[in-house]
Amino acid sequence: NASGLTGFIIWLGIAICHLRFRKAWVAQGRPLSELKFRARFFPWAPWAAVVLFVVVIFGANIGVFQAEGFSWSDWTTWFDFVSSYITIPLAIALYLGHKWWHKT
């Protein structure tokens, strides 16, 4: 459902932020020894998390497409599809809106 999918989208964002933070830290010429906490399996764990969360996000409600009598012309199929995946374009729209609003 949409609420469960939202949690996975949030954790996907956290994994991406971890990757970007470490890249920016090194790009600024700062040593990793200054970090209070260093993830043991960096960068493999965040990349594995990104891949797994993308698989879960897009595969969470795959049953919508596998239902008996699946048809794009049936309004109940559209409702199931939209209610299952509405958080993906919503999250993208909110992210892009934030980038546009703050000019970053």
Side-chain angles (χ1 to χ4, degrees):
N1 62 14
S3 62
L5 201 59
T6 303
F8 284 110
I9 291 172
I10 291 168
W11 277 104
L12 173 66
I14 291 170
I16 291 170
C17 285
H18 185 207
L19 290 166
R20 293 188 67 196
F21 170 78
R22 287 284 291 263
K23 184 177 180 181
W25 186 271
V26 172
Q28 292 175 7
R30 301 178 76 175
L32 294 178
S33 60
E34 287 183 10
L35 290 173
K36 300 286 184 201
F37 176 79
R38 287 179 300 282
R40 180 177 298 179
F41 299 112
F42 183 84
W44 300 284
W47 276 113
V50 166
V51 169
L52 290 173
F53 286 133
V54 167
V55 168
V56 168
I57 287 168
F58 287 105
N61 295 319
I62 198 74
V64 170
F65 302 106
Q66 297 172 338
E68 180 97 15
F70 177 80
S71 170
W72 286 110
S73 61
D74 183 15
W75 75 270
T76 57
T77 305
W78 270 102
F79 178 78
D80 290 343
F81 174 78
V82 170
S83 65
S84 297
Y85 291 104
I86 190 67
T87 55
I88 296 170
L90 182 62
I92 292 169
L94 288 172
Y95 175 76
L96 294 175
H98 171 79
K99 297 297 269 181
W100 177 79
W101 184 264
H102 293 284
K103 309 287 190 257
T104 59

